[in-house]
Amino acid sequence: QVQFVESGGGLVQAGGSLRLSCAASISTFSGNTIGWYRQTPGKQREWVATITSSGATTYAGSVKGRFTISRDNAKNTVYLQMNSLIPEDTAVYYCNRPLYRLDWGQGTQVTVSS
């Protein structure tokens, strides 16, 4: 039951960029696949991207080519570099593990203006 700490969100114009960070404990990150998810009011939380312990990445079709997920295990942190942002990317972004889920953190708000 480790609380994730997401940060880096903000308000940006369409076409802009943000880098989100997800930090947690060593036990949470070490050797685990970590994913980014997002949620908007009235919509189900959706998967955005994942990165395995070996660095293999997978992306949702809606963000492929625009977002890049990475990790720094020494810092117990996973990042999400978001480029070419569009209004549809507006959401609260969360991180977690696809398996062995922990409690969701508060997330970080990303708002993309048109």
Side-chain angles (χ1 to χ4, degrees), residues 44-66:
Q44 186 176 359
R45 199 192 318 269
E46 65 177 346
W47 164 74
V48 174
T50 51
I51 183 167
T52 70
S53 60
S54 62
T57 59
T58 309
Y59 300 91
S62 59
V63 306
K64 189 176 300 182
R66 300 188 297 116

Side-chain angles (χ1 to χ4, degrees), residues 57-110:
T57 59
T58 309
Y59 300 91
S62 59
V63 306
K64 189 176 300 182
R66 300 188 297 116
F67 291 10
T68 302
I69 188 171
S70 61
R71 65 191 295 160
D72 185 341
N73 291 328
K75 296 182 178 180
N76 305 321
T77 302
V78 172
Y79 304 96
L80 185 68
Q81 178 66 48
M82 307 186 297
N83 298 325
S84 302
L85 286 162
I86 58 177
E88 288 75 15
D89 295 321
T90 296
V92 178
Y93 284 71
Y94 304 86
C95 56
N96 215 314
R97 302 186 298 199
L99 299 176
Y100 313 110
R101 289 275 179 84
L102 298 174
D103 290 343
W104 296 96
Q106 295 187 41
T108 184
Q109 176 72 51
V110 171

